[in-house]
Amino acid sequence: MRIYMEWYGGGSYAAPTMEDREEFSSIKTAEEVFLARAEGDPYFPCVEDSSAYLFAKDAEYPEFELRVGPRGGVQRSRC
C-alpha cells in the first residue's frame, strides 16, 4: 500500500502543501523517516516541533497524524 506524507518541522519551515507530499511504501517506512527528521537529520536542520500527516493516494484529507511522543517514539493517531 502506498502512503503519502506531508511533513512539517516547526516554525523554521513553511506549511506543507499537496505538492510537498512524499511517497512511501508503507506506514512503517514513513514513521521511520519522520522520527529520523525529528531526532536531528542533518539534511533537515532547525526542526522544532515535528509533525506529519499521512494520506492515501489522491486523498484530500489525512488518515493519520504523526507526532513525537513523550518518551521519544512516534505517536500515530487517527484524524
Side-chain angles (χ1 to χ4, degrees):
M1 175 183 156
R2 291 290 199 212
I3 197 80
Y4 297 84
M5 179 171 77
E6 287 182 6
W7 176 77
Y8 179 64
S12 298
Y13 290 84
T17 64
M18 187 177 251
E19 291 80 33
D20 298 324
R21 289 184 184 175
E22 301 171 75
E23 183 177 350
F24 295 97
S25 60
S26 68
I27 292 174
K28 181 178 171 133
T29 305
E31 287 178 345
E32 290 170 355
V33 170
F34 169 78
L35 192 57
R37 290 178 186 175
E39 291 179 338
D41 184 337
Y43 190 74
F44 295 92
C46 304
V47 173
E48 298 163 2
D49 185 27
S50 189
S51 64
Y53 288 108
L54 300 180
F55 296 80
K57 184 174 175 88
D58 297 326
E60 188 175 339
Y61 299 103
E63 298 285 329
F64 299 102
E65 179 182 17
L66 302 180
R67 292 210 168 264
V68 178
R71 290 184 272 166
V74 176
Q75 275 187 331
R76 180 178 54 189
S77 58
R78 277 262 199 222
C79 292

